[in-house]
Amino acid sequence: MLSFRPLLRSSCFSRTFAATKPHTFLTPTIGILGGGQLGLMLLQAAIDWNLRIHVLDPDADAPCRTLCTQFTTGSLTDYDTVYQFGQSVDVLTIEIERVNVDALEALEREGKRVYPQPSVIRTIQDKRLQKQFYREHNLPTADFILTADRADTARHGDFLPAFHKLGRDGYDGRGVQRIATSADFDKAFAAPGLLEKAVDFEKELAVIVARNERGEVQTFPTVEMVFHPELNLVEYLFAPAEITSDVDQQAQTIARQTADAFGIVGILAVEMFLDKQGQVLINEVAPRPHNSGHHTIQANVTSQFEQHWRAILNYPLGDTTFYQPAAMLNLLGEAGHTGPAEYEGLENLLAMPGVFPFFYGKAITKPFRKMGHVTVMDADMNTLREKVDRVKTNIRVISATGESAEG
Amino acid sequence: MLSFRPLLRSSCFSRTFAATKPHTFLTPTIGILGGGQLGLMLLQAAIDWNLRIHVLDPDADAPCRTLCTQFTTGSLTDYDTVYQFGQSVDVLTIEIERVNVDALEALEREGKRVYPQPSVIRTIQDKRLQKQFYREHNLPTADFILTADRADTARHGDFLPAFHKLGRDGYDGRGVQRIATSADFDKAFAAPGLLEKAVDFEKELAVIVARNERGEVQTFPTVEMVFHPELNLVEYLFAPAEITSDVDQQAQTIARQTADAFGIVGILAVEMFLDKQGQVLINEVAPRPHNSGHHTIQANVTSQFEQHWRAILNYPLGDTTFYQPAAMLNLLGEAGHTGPAEYEGLENLLAMPGVFPFFYGKAITKPFRKMGHVTVMDADMNTLREKVDRVKTNIRVISATGESAEG
């Protein structure tokens, strides 16, 4: 669908570009599996290029519902639904990896452009395959043992402390259990999983990397994530990470090597540990735009969302330089509040320069539900940290109807 | 609709903001009259805050059609259509000033929040009223004479060289005629208009200013516009303008004073001449986001579009600082091409760092139709100018079916 045309007036093209064929932009129809906040931000970035986009999501009230060319309500894990949806578009992508990969493989076999490729999604969907992939490709990652069930897991008391991870269907902190001593083995999952050596880490890092069809690879600057102590969700992040250039080099190299190893077309978010010995290890990856790159909308020349479009439409990848240091805080639903969402303190936020709230349009707030995020920017890192503290204490996602539950 | 709630947990608010009441964000339903490219960019900015927006436009294929909560096809100049549309929303705004002001005034009388106010739109719709407004408020503008018809106009041979401007319904270069000598009087308009002394200008400048309900006023940095020699359309602009600080001060002050004089709530774009004597004069204003502020999407902390939402929703106005110097080029349909639009050279553009094309989603290109724009950024002004030249020679909006007309 992205056709090339002969050069019409070669004289008006400058010498610098004379060697490149001019590209005529004929918009293909793009499909996104998933209509949540990542889809929403992909749609927002797509407005600049007037992309025609269909979205599939099981929730008729999904954030993307009113912002795409066509919205279909349906299961992302049902073969027929995904297959039929895929038939209606030219290029198919995802904003969530829990999708029916069999349908995607069938579409790919029929010549549909499915990016990221189904094989990549299949490997990443299963943490067991994912970890084996790193081992096979000599990508540094914490040591692990595959486990069949709880009893099998409990045989590895000498491997503790460790994390037991469910092979499939874990997300956003679910599907991970810390096993500190043998007494914790009753918390291990009953299904196939893996036991991963606990890394005594200094920091958690992430690098978003993009790779297009021609194999061009481009990384975003390394960021530093601070996780919520209980929820295993990113609470906030700083970009760029405050790390040595050696550590940064390791993180950037690992991200590139991982993208190349997968041969992915699209965005890959690579989450990593920096251990106490200064070594960087892959934790896990996501084959799509990621929470660790939301700040790029404001802070970087190209956002992770535009970069994803560039990658899957096989355009040159964009410049990832940042204008200013940035931080990102997730806006989680307040504990004790379930019901129609209200944003308390928004006015205070909007009075602070370089503070950018983003609400996902979820009508109902629940405790710790991701309701939005706030990007904060400042040329000075200390001022940035002060602003982050002020933002944290100045906004709450609450529900008037749910408030009684708190008191 | 934007309600305030009592402070629930005062202890968690930092001292800096303790004096401010926390604001609970309950989204009002907003209506936009007009669904063109300015509406499109308003919708894009509105995604961050999850604003609920209805759009009215006569064209069922208007750029906004798939990106708003509700799209209504209907006339912007018909009383009943505008009045009924206004009834369906809480806050009403415009992206084009040729709308039925009587209907807006009726809605305002009934307590609807209509921003910019109908009185402002009424004055600006008629260039005669607009110029008299500047005179009454001691705002510097070129000398002028009101004219009733062509014969009346022809009586003012001693006022030449001048421009004859149609009072109402001129736009984008239409409704303006240069009258160099008495021989040109046959080009004067037959309808009520005004004869304005030609300003021998050095540069054309623009300042976008925002004013909210509480009367806070915030300007964007002064930009410099270069008009197409024949079309009277902005061909490109540079931000910030290369002017002395005295001239900048004049331009910024005039913009503020004009916003205050109108008492406008919303964005006001103030176009000005810098004459050869170093004096700044108002040319004309637009009470809405404007072509001279598209670069603010990428180049400034707050874009003109977000600033418009802040102003009409009565939020604190945003920081207008720019990250890097920027330029903006309008993408006009190529001469000799009418038909389905294609963008030749897009690939080249996307390979240049800091170059941001934006396409308005108009299916059909026509000679000189505004089809999109390109924002260009660079920390260095000379490199910026080089990039602008490369962009100009690397993209054309053409139509394969219309090509025969050219050759």
Side-chain angles (χ1 to χ4, degrees), chain A residues 9 12 23-25 44 48 50 67 214 310 334 342-347 350 359 361 393-394 396, chain B residues 8-9 12-13 23-25 44 48 50 67 214 301 310 342-343 345-347 350 356 359 361 393 396:
Chain A
R9 299 193 310 182
C12 83
H23 194 169
T24 300
F25 191 57
Q44 188 180 36
D48 291 32
N50 185 36
L67 293 161
R214 334 168 192 178
R310 285 175 178 259
E334 191 78 6
E342 297 173 31
Y343 301 90
E344 186 188 71
L346 177 62
E347 172 111 13
L350 294 180
F359 302 111
T393 53
N394 268 281
R396 295 200 311 156
Chain B
L8 295 176
R9 298 193 310 183
C12 83
F13 283 79
H23 194 168
T24 300
F25 191 56
Q44 188 180 37
D48 291 32
N50 184 36
L67 292 161
R214 332 168 194 180
V301 175
R310 285 175 177 259
E342 297 172 33
Y343 302 90
L346 177 62
E347 172 111 13
L350 294 180
F356 308 91
F359 303 111
T393 52
R396 293 199 313 155

Tab-separated table of all heavy atoms in Angstrom, chain A residues 9 12 23-25 44 48 50 67 214 310 334 342-347 350 359 361 393-394 396, chain B residues 8-9 12-13 23-25 44 48 50 67 214 301 310 342-343 345-347 350 356 359 361 393 396:
chain	number	residue	atom	x	y	z
A	9	ARG	N	9.936	15.854	-10.753
A	9	ARG	CA	10.698	17.063	-11.072
A	9	ARG	C	12.032	16.984	-10.367
A	9	ARG	O	12.235	17.608	-9.338
A	9	ARG	CB	9.952	18.308	-10.590
A	9	ARG	CG	8.587	18.502	-11.226
A	9	ARG	CD	8.081	19.909	-10.927
A	9	ARG	NE	8.190	20.213	-9.511
A	9	ARG	CZ	7.784	21.358	-8.962
A	9	ARG	NH1	7.247	22.292	-9.722
A	9	ARG	NH2	7.914	21.569	-7.665
A	12	CYS	N	14.051	19.926	-8.694
A	12	CYS	CA	13.697	20.664	-7.494
A	12	CYS	C	14.100	19.917	-6.226
A	12	CYS	O	13.871	20.387	-5.129
A	12	CYS	CB	12.219	21.037	-7.458
A	12	CYS	SG	11.152	19.733	-6.871
A	23	HIS	N	8.891	9.422	-1.911
A	23	HIS	CA	7.916	8.493	-1.389
A	23	HIS	C	6.549	9.142	-1.445
A	23	HIS	O	6.336	10.193	-0.881
A	23	HIS	CB	8.285	8.186	0.061
A	23	HIS	CG	7.567	7.010	0.627
A	23	HIS	ND1	7.917	6.453	1.816
A	23	HIS	CD2	6.532	6.300	0.164
A	23	HIS	CE1	7.107	5.429	2.063
A	23	HIS	NE2	6.270	5.324	1.085
A	24	THR	N	5.624	8.555	-2.127
A	24	THR	CA	4.274	9.085	-2.138
A	24	THR	C	3.495	8.416	-1.029
A	24	THR	O	3.501	7.200	-0.903
A	24	THR	CB	3.600	8.808	-3.484
A	24	THR	OG1	4.372	9.445	-4.470
A	24	THR	CG2	2.207	9.391	-3.493
A	25	PHE	N	2.854	9.237	-0.238
A	25	PHE	CA	2.216	8.752	0.964
A	25	PHE	C	0.778	8.361	0.673
A	25	PHE	O	-0.088	9.197	0.496
A	25	PHE	CB	2.263	9.879	1.988
A	25	PHE	CG	1.874	9.484	3.370
A	25	PHE	CD1	2.545	8.458	4.017
A	25	PHE	CD2	0.855	10.134	4.018
A	25	PHE	CE1	2.200	8.109	5.301
A	25	PHE	CE2	0.501	9.784	5.301
A	25	PHE	CZ	1.167	8.769	5.948
A	44	GLN	N	-3.165	9.412	19.058
A	44	GLN	CA	-2.838	10.839	19.135
A	44	GLN	C	-1.659	11.180	18.220
A	44	GLN	O	-1.687	12.171	17.495
A	44	GLN	CB	-2.522	11.230	20.583
A	44	GLN	CG	-2.363	12.736	20.771
A	44	GLN	CD	-2.040	13.122	22.205
A	44	GLN	OE1	-1.317	12.418	22.895
A	44	GLN	NE2	-2.571	14.235	22.660
A	48	ASP	N	-1.041	13.447	13.284
A	48	ASP	CA	-0.124	14.249	12.454
A	48	ASP	C	-0.021	13.721	11.027
A	48	ASP	O	0.148	14.488	10.091
A	48	ASP	CB	1.299	14.234	13.040
A	48	ASP	CG	1.413	14.996	14.338
A	48	ASP	OD1	0.423	15.021	15.107
A	48	ASP	OD2	2.479	15.553	14.604
A	50	ASN	N	-2.274	11.725	9.600
A	50	ASN	CA	-3.588	11.399	9.044
A	50	ASN	C	-3.719	9.899	8.758
A	50	ASN	O	-4.193	9.491	7.700
A	50	ASN	CB	-3.810	12.234	7.769
A	50	ASN	CG	-5.191	12.049	7.191
A	50	ASN	OD1	-6.158	11.898	7.925
A	50	ASN	ND2	-5.268	12.035	5.880
A	67	LEU	N	-11.811	7.902	19.034
A	67	LEU	CA	-10.698	8.589	18.378
A	67	LEU	C	-10.094	7.832	17.211
A	67	LEU	O	-9.049	8.212	16.700
A	67	LEU	CB	-9.613	8.916	19.413
A	67	LEU	CG	-10.063	9.957	20.450
A	67	LEU	CD1	-9.197	9.904	21.681
A	67	LEU	CD2	-10.061	11.342	19.836
A	214	ARG	N	13.639	-2.386	7.346
A	214	ARG	CA	14.972	-2.452	6.707
A	214	ARG	C	16.069	-2.769	7.713
A	214	ARG	O	17.242	-2.756	7.375
A	214	ARG	CB	15.351	-1.114	6.068
A	214	ARG	CG	14.214	-0.280	5.666
A	214	ARG	CD	14.601	1.136	5.300
A	214	ARG	NE	13.358	1.892	5.216
A	214	ARG	CZ	13.246	3.188	4.963
A	214	ARG	NH1	14.345	3.904	4.752
A	214	ARG	NH2	12.085	3.778	4.896
A	310	ARG	N	6.686	4.947	12.680
A	310	ARG	CA	7.798	4.971	11.725
A	310	ARG	C	8.316	3.557	11.475
A	310	ARG	O	8.572	3.167	10.336
A	310	ARG	CB	8.945	5.845	12.263
A	310	ARG	CG	8.692	7.340	12.180
A	310	ARG	CD	9.825	8.112	12.836
A	310	ARG	NE	9.669	9.545	12.759
A	310	ARG	CZ	10.299	10.342	11.891
A	310	ARG	NH1	11.174	9.829	11.044
A	310	ARG	NH2	10.096	11.634	11.885
A	334	GLU	N	-6.839	6.142	43.866
A	334	GLU	CA	-6.592	6.214	45.301
A	334	GLU	C	-7.174	4.990	46.016
A	334	GLU	O	-8.250	4.508	45.642
A	334	GLU	CB	-7.264	7.498	45.828
A	334	GLU	CG	-6.916	7.885	47.227
A	334	GLU	CD	-5.548	8.548	47.351
A	334	GLU	OE1	-4.889	8.812	46.319
A	334	GLU	OE2	-5.133	8.773	48.498
A	342	GLU	N	-12.718	11.258	39.611
A	342	GLU	CA	-12.535	12.708	39.670
A	342	GLU	C	-11.058	12.971	39.940
A	342	GLU	O	-10.390	12.182	40.599
A	342	GLU	CB	-13.385	13.315	40.787
A	342	GLU	CG	-14.875	13.120	40.564
A	342	GLU	CD	-15.715	13.570	41.751
A	342	GLU	OE1	-15.295	14.521	42.446
A	342	GLU	OE2	-16.769	12.961	41.985
A	343	TYR	N	-10.573	14.090	39.421
A	343	TYR	CA	-9.144	14.396	39.527
A	343	TYR	C	-8.973	15.580	40.462
A	343	TYR	O	-9.157	16.719	40.050
A	343	TYR	CB	-8.562	14.648	38.146
A	343	TYR	CG	-8.761	13.439	37.262
A	343	TYR	CD1	-9.902	13.299	36.478
A	343	TYR	CD2	-7.850	12.401	37.291
A	343	TYR	CE1	-10.120	12.158	35.727
A	343	TYR	CE2	-8.053	11.257	36.543
A	343	TYR	CZ	-9.190	11.138	35.763
A	343	TYR	OH	-9.407	10.002	35.030
A	344	GLU	N	-8.624	15.297	41.690
A	344	GLU	CA	-8.509	16.345	42.687
A	344	GLU	C	-7.120	16.981	42.619
A	344	GLU	O	-6.119	16.270	42.684
A	344	GLU	CB	-8.729	15.729	44.066
A	344	GLU	CG	-8.774	16.736	45.177
A	344	GLU	CD	-8.799	16.042	46.525
A	344	GLU	OE1	-7.751	15.465	46.904
A	344	GLU	OE2	-9.840	16.054	47.176
A	345	GLY	N	-7.093	18.284	42.494
A	345	GLY	CA	-5.805	18.983	42.488
A	345	GLY	C	-5.289	19.310	41.100
A	345	GLY	O	-4.186	19.835	40.959
A	346	LEU	N	-6.085	19.044	40.069
A	346	LEU	CA	-5.627	19.297	38.704
A	346	LEU	C	-5.202	20.752	38.517
A	346	LEU	O	-4.184	21.045	37.891
A	346	LEU	CB	-6.741	18.950	37.713
A	346	LEU	CG	-6.408	19.232	36.244
A	346	LEU	CD1	-5.216	18.406	35.790
A	346	LEU	CD2	-7.608	18.960	35.355
A	347	GLU	N	-5.992	21.650	39.090
A	347	GLU	CA	-5.698	23.075	38.968
A	347	GLU	C	-4.279	23.401	39.459
A	347	GLU	O	-3.551	24.165	38.833
A	347	GLU	CB	-6.734	23.844	39.797
A	347	GLU	CG	-6.450	25.302	39.922
A	347	GLU	CD	-7.459	26.144	39.172
A	347	GLU	OE1	-8.504	25.615	38.765
A	347	GLU	OE2	-7.173	27.326	38.994
A	350	LEU	N	-1.749	22.274	36.868
A	350	LEU	CA	-1.708	23.086	35.649
A	350	LEU	C	-1.055	24.444	35.897
A	350	LEU	O	-0.673	25.130	34.963
A	350	LEU	CB	-3.116	23.252	35.071
A	350	LEU	CG	-3.758	21.967	34.554
A	350	LEU	CD1	-5.154	22.249	34.011
A	350	LEU	CD2	-2.907	21.312	33.470
A	359	PHE	N	-4.805	12.065	31.062
A	359	PHE	CA	-5.830	11.186	31.625
A	359	PHE	C	-6.309	10.207	30.567
A	359	PHE	O	-6.530	10.602	29.429
A	359	PHE	CB	-7.003	12.026	32.140
A	359	PHE	CG	-6.589	13.027	33.164
A	359	PHE	CD1	-6.621	14.389	32.880
A	359	PHE	CD2	-6.134	12.617	34.406
A	359	PHE	CE1	-6.211	15.325	33.822
A	359	PHE	CE2	-5.722	13.542	35.350
A	359	PHE	CZ	-5.760	14.898	35.063
A	361	GLY	N	-9.094	8.530	30.304
A	361	GLY	CA	-10.506	8.469	29.932
A	361	GLY	C	-11.212	7.231	30.465
A	361	GLY	O	-12.213	6.795	29.896
A	393	THR	N	2.127	15.166	45.705
A	393	THR	CA	1.270	15.552	46.825
A	393	THR	C	0.109	16.435	46.395
A	393	THR	O	-0.669	16.883	47.227
A	393	THR	CB	2.093	16.309	47.894
A	393	THR	OG1	2.777	17.378	47.264
A	393	THR	CG2	3.075	15.372	48.565
A	394	ASN	N	-0.005	16.687	45.091
A	394	ASN	CA	-1.038	17.624	44.661
A	394	ASN	C	-2.124	17.037	43.787
A	394	ASN	O	-3.020	17.779	43.369
A	394	ASN	CB	-0.410	18.825	43.947
A	394	ASN	CG	-0.122	19.935	44.911
A	394	ASN	OD1	-1.020	20.670	45.292
A	394	ASN	ND2	1.120	20.025	45.352
A	396	ARG	N	-4.847	13.584	43.222
A	396	ARG	CA	-5.383	12.291	43.632
A	396	ARG	C	-6.531	11.940	42.700
A	396	ARG	O	-7.348	12.800	42.358
A	396	ARG	CB	-5.946	12.349	45.057
A	396	ARG	CG	-4.927	12.604	46.145
A	396	ARG	CD	-5.446	12.169	47.515
A	396	ARG	NE	-6.776	12.687	47.790
A	396	ARG	CZ	-7.620	12.112	48.656
A	396	ARG	NH1	-7.277	11.005	49.305
A	396	ARG	NH2	-8.813	12.634	48.880
B	8	LEU	N	-9.714	17.653	50.923
B	8	LEU	CA	-9.987	16.426	51.683
B	8	LEU	C	-8.855	16.072	52.629
B	8	LEU	O	-9.067	15.661	53.749
B	8	LEU	CB	-10.232	15.260	50.726
B	8	LEU	CG	-11.485	15.390	49.863
B	8	LEU	CD1	-11.556	14.234	48.888
B	8	LEU	CD2	-12.738	15.432	50.734
B	9	ARG	N	-7.644	16.212	52.141
B	9	ARG	CA	-6.506	15.833	52.990
B	9	ARG	C	-5.497	16.965	52.961
B	9	ARG	O	-4.492	16.875	52.272
B	9	ARG	CB	-5.856	14.556	52.459
B	9	ARG	CG	-6.768	13.342	52.448
B	9	ARG	CD	-5.960	12.088	52.226
B	9	ARG	NE	-5.058	12.225	51.077
B	9	ARG	CZ	-4.292	11.256	50.629
B	9	ARG	NH1	-4.299	10.072	51.221
B	9	ARG	NH2	-3.498	11.447	49.596
B	12	CYS	N	-1.586	16.610	52.964
B	12	CYS	CA	-0.747	16.063	51.891
B	12	CYS	C	-0.473	17.094	50.806
B	12	CYS	O	0.205	16.805	49.829
B	12	CYS	CB	-1.332	14.776	51.315
B	12	CYS	SG	-2.592	15.050	50.090
B	13	PHE	N	-0.986	18.307	50.947
B	13	PHE	CA	-0.668	19.344	49.978
B	13	PHE	C	0.520	20.154	50.482
B	13	PHE	O	0.563	20.521	51.655
B	13	PHE	CB	-1.886	20.257	49.756
B	13	PHE	CG	-2.909	19.603	48.890
B	13	PHE	CD1	-3.780	18.653	49.408
B	13	PHE	CD2	-2.972	19.885	47.534
B	13	PHE	CE1	-4.700	18.027	48.601
B	13	PHE	CE2	-3.900	19.260	46.729
B	13	PHE	CZ	-4.771	18.322	47.252
B	23	HIS	N	-8.885	21.440	42.699
B	23	HIS	CA	-9.867	21.491	41.637
B	23	HIS	C	-10.220	20.075	41.218
B	23	HIS	O	-9.363	19.309	40.848
B	23	HIS	CB	-9.236	22.235	40.456
B	23	HIS	CG	-10.227	22.655	39.431
B	23	HIS	ND1	-9.928	23.526	38.434
B	23	HIS	CD2	-11.522	22.347	39.263
B	23	HIS	CE1	-10.990	23.718	37.680
B	23	HIS	NE2	-11.965	23.013	38.164
B	24	THR	N	-11.457	19.734	41.316
B	24	THR	CA	-11.865	18.417	40.851
B	24	THR	C	-12.280	18.541	39.395
B	24	THR	O	-13.072	19.402	39.042
B	24	THR	CB	-13.028	17.885	41.676
B	24	THR	OG1	-12.601	17.810	43.022
B	24	THR	CG2	-13.429	16.508	41.205
B	25	PHE	N	-11.740	17.699	38.594
B	25	PHE	CA	-11.915	17.800	37.162
B	25	PHE	C	-13.130	17.000	36.715
B	25	PHE	O	-13.107	15.790	36.663
B	25	PHE	CB	-10.651	17.257	36.506
B	25	PHE	CG	-10.543	17.525	35.044
B	25	PHE	CD1	-10.614	18.801	34.553
B	25	PHE	CD2	-10.360	16.475	34.161
B	25	PHE	CE1	-10.497	19.046	33.203
B	25	PHE	CE2	-10.240	16.720	32.810
B	25	PHE	CZ	-10.316	18.014	32.339
B	44	GLN	N	-6.583	17.088	19.044
B	44	GLN	CA	-5.365	16.349	19.386
B	44	GLN	C	-4.864	16.763	20.777
B	44	GLN	O	-4.512	15.917	21.598
B	44	GLN	CB	-4.278	16.595	18.338
B	44	GLN	CG	-3.056	15.700	18.542
B	44	GLN	CD	-1.986	15.957	17.499
B	44	GLN	OE1	-1.757	17.076	17.076
B	44	GLN	NE2	-1.313	14.892	17.079
B	48	ASP	N	-5.110	14.667	25.837
B	48	ASP	CA	-4.391	14.595	27.114
B	48	ASP	C	-5.326	14.746	28.310
B	48	ASP	O	-5.108	14.137	29.350
B	48	ASP	CB	-3.344	15.708	27.223
B	48	ASP	CG	-2.180	15.519	26.266
B	48	ASP	OD1	-2.393	14.971	25.177
B	48	ASP	OD2	-1.059	15.937	26.607
B	50	ASN	N	-8.633	14.270	28.172
B	50	ASN	CA	-9.834	13.462	28.015
B	50	ASN	C	-11.078	14.339	27.910
B	50	ASN	O	-12.107	14.072	28.546
B	50	ASN	CB	-9.934	12.485	29.198
B	50	ASN	CG	-11.101	11.542	29.051
B	50	ASN	OD1	-11.431	11.120	27.947
B	50	ASN	ND2	-11.744	11.225	30.157
B	67	LEU	N	-12.534	12.071	14.970
B	67	LEU	CA	-11.709	12.251	16.163
B	67	LEU	C	-12.413	12.968	17.304
B	67	LEU	O	-11.782	13.319	18.296
B	67	LEU	CB	-10.425	12.999	15.795
B	67	LEU	CG	-9.501	12.175	14.906
B	67	LEU	CD1	-8.506	13.069	14.200
B	67	LEU	CD2	-8.769	11.120	15.715
B	214	ARG	N	-10.481	34.642	34.364
B	214	ARG	CA	-10.056	35.500	35.485
B	214	ARG	C	-9.222	36.690	35.027
B	214	ARG	O	-8.698	37.436	35.855
B	214	ARG	CB	-9.181	34.721	36.473
B	214	ARG	CG	-9.440	33.274	36.518
B	214	ARG	CD	-8.376	32.502	37.284
B	214	ARG	NE	-8.574	31.095	36.964
B	214	ARG	CZ	-7.855	30.092	37.418
B	214	ARG	NH1	-6.853	30.331	38.241
B	214	ARG	NH2	-8.121	28.863	37.064
B	301	VAL	N	6.661	24.876	25.416
B	301	VAL	CA	6.214	24.064	26.553
B	301	VAL	C	4.709	23.812	26.455
B	301	VAL	O	4.237	22.681	26.579
B	301	VAL	CB	6.568	24.763	27.885
B	301	VAL	CG1	5.994	23.988	29.062
B	301	VAL	CG2	8.085	24.903	28.026
B	310	ARG	N	-6.950	25.794	28.075
B	310	ARG	CA	-6.730	26.368	29.405
B	310	ARG	C	-7.542	27.652	29.570
B	310	ARG	O	-8.164	27.876	30.604
B	310	ARG	CB	-5.234	26.673	29.612
B	310	ARG	CG	-4.374	25.439	29.861
B	310	ARG	CD	-2.902	25.839	29.923
B	310	ARG	NE	-2.023	24.721	30.217
B	310	ARG	CZ	-1.488	24.458	31.415
B	310	ARG	NH1	-1.740	25.253	32.441
B	310	ARG	NH2	-0.695	23.420	31.589
B	342	GLU	N	-1.703	13.211	-2.823
B	342	GLU	CA	-0.558	12.353	-2.514
B	342	GLU	C	0.583	13.254	-2.055
B	342	GLU	O	0.690	14.391	-2.503
B	342	GLU	CB	-0.127	11.557	-3.755
B	342	GLU	CG	-1.208	10.603	-4.229
B	342	GLU	CD	-0.858	9.951	-5.562
B	342	GLU	OE1	0.336	9.707	-5.816
B	342	GLU	OE2	-1.783	9.705	-6.351
B	343	TYR	N	1.405	12.709	-1.172
B	343	TYR	CA	2.472	13.516	-0.576
B	343	TYR	C	3.807	13.017	-1.083
B	343	TYR	O	4.330	12.029	-0.587
B	343	TYR	CB	2.367	13.480	0.948
B	343	TYR	CG	1.026	13.992	1.400
B	343	TYR	CD1	-0.053	13.132	1.558
B	343	TYR	CD2	0.823	15.352	1.581
B	343	TYR	CE1	-1.307	13.619	1.907
B	343	TYR	CE2	-0.419	15.854	1.930
B	343	TYR	CZ	-1.483	14.973	2.091
B	343	TYR	OH	-2.721	15.454	2.418
B	345	GLY	N	7.643	12.869	-1.495
B	345	GLY	CA	8.849	13.292	-0.802
B	345	GLY	C	8.777	13.143	0.707
B	345	GLY	O	9.711	13.513	1.409
B	346	LEU	N	7.690	12.567	1.213
B	346	LEU	CA	7.530	12.437	2.661
B	346	LEU	C	8.699	11.702	3.299
B	346	LEU	O	9.208	12.073	4.354
B	346	LEU	CB	6.219	11.701	2.972
B	346	LEU	CG	5.963	11.446	4.450
B	346	LEU	CD1	5.852	12.751	5.222
B	346	LEU	CD2	4.717	10.612	4.640
B	347	GLU	N	9.135	10.648	2.615
B	347	GLU	CA	10.251	9.840	3.131
B	347	GLU	C	11.490	10.705	3.386
B	347	GLU	O	12.164	10.556	4.410
B	347	GLU	CB	10.563	8.742	2.112
B	347	GLU	CG	11.792	7.967	2.404
B	347	GLU	CD	11.467	6.541	2.803
B	347	GLU	OE1	10.317	6.103	2.611
B	347	GLU	OE2	12.378	5.882	3.318
B	350	LEU	N	11.004	12.726	6.537
B	350	LEU	CA	11.064	11.956	7.780
B	350	LEU	C	12.491	11.531	8.115
B	350	LEU	O	12.777	11.134	9.245
B	350	LEU	CB	10.132	10.745	7.706
B	350	LEU	CG	8.642	11.087	7.643
B	350	LEU	CD1	7.806	9.809	7.571
B	350	LEU	CD2	8.197	11.935	8.827
B	356	PHE	N	8.793	17.946	11.317
B	356	PHE	CA	7.516	17.365	11.730
B	356	PHE	C	6.399	17.710	10.755
B	356	PHE	O	5.788	18.766	10.860
B	356	PHE	CB	7.130	17.894	13.114
B	356	PHE	CG	8.206	17.745	14.156
B	356	PHE	CD1	9.138	18.755	14.370
B	356	PHE	CD2	8.298	16.586	14.902
B	356	PHE	CE1	10.134	18.609	15.337
B	356	PHE	CE2	9.292	16.427	15.859
B	356	PHE	CZ	10.214	17.442	16.083
B	359	PHE	N	-0.403	16.493	8.316
B	359	PHE	CA	-1.348	16.485	7.195
B	359	PHE	C	-2.766	16.607	7.723
B	359	PHE	O	-3.117	15.952	8.693
B	359	PHE	CB	-1.201	15.199	6.382
B	359	PHE	CG	0.184	14.988	5.873
B	359	PHE	CD1	0.982	13.967	6.366
B	359	PHE	CD2	0.703	15.836	4.910
B	359	PHE	CE1	2.282	13.793	5.913
B	359	PHE	CE2	2.007	15.669	4.456
B	359	PHE	CZ	2.797	14.644	4.954
B	361	GLY	N	-5.630	15.758	6.406
B	361	GLY	CA	-6.628	14.739	6.086
B	361	GLY	C	-7.660	15.198	5.069
B	361	GLY	O	-8.764	14.668	5.032
B	393	THR	N	12.091	22.063	-0.884
B	393	THR	CA	12.371	21.426	-2.174
B	393	THR	C	12.139	19.924	-2.129
B	393	THR	O	12.382	19.228	-3.105
B	393	THR	CB	13.827	21.683	-2.605
B	393	THR	OG1	14.681	21.299	-1.526
B	393	THR	CG2	14.034	23.143	-2.928
B	396	ARG	N	5.960	17.792	-2.089
B	396	ARG	CA	4.920	18.397	-2.931
B	396	ARG	C	3.621	17.650	-2.687
B	396	ARG	O	3.614	16.420	-2.578
B	396	ARG	CB	5.268	18.240	-4.414
B	396	ARG	CG	6.481	19.025	-4.861
B	396	ARG	CD	6.505	19.218	-6.370
B	396	ARG	NE	6.225	17.984	-7.095
B	396	ARG	CZ	5.729	17.958	-8.328
B	396	ARG	NH1	5.417	19.089	-8.959
B	396	ARG	NH2	5.520	16.804	-8.944
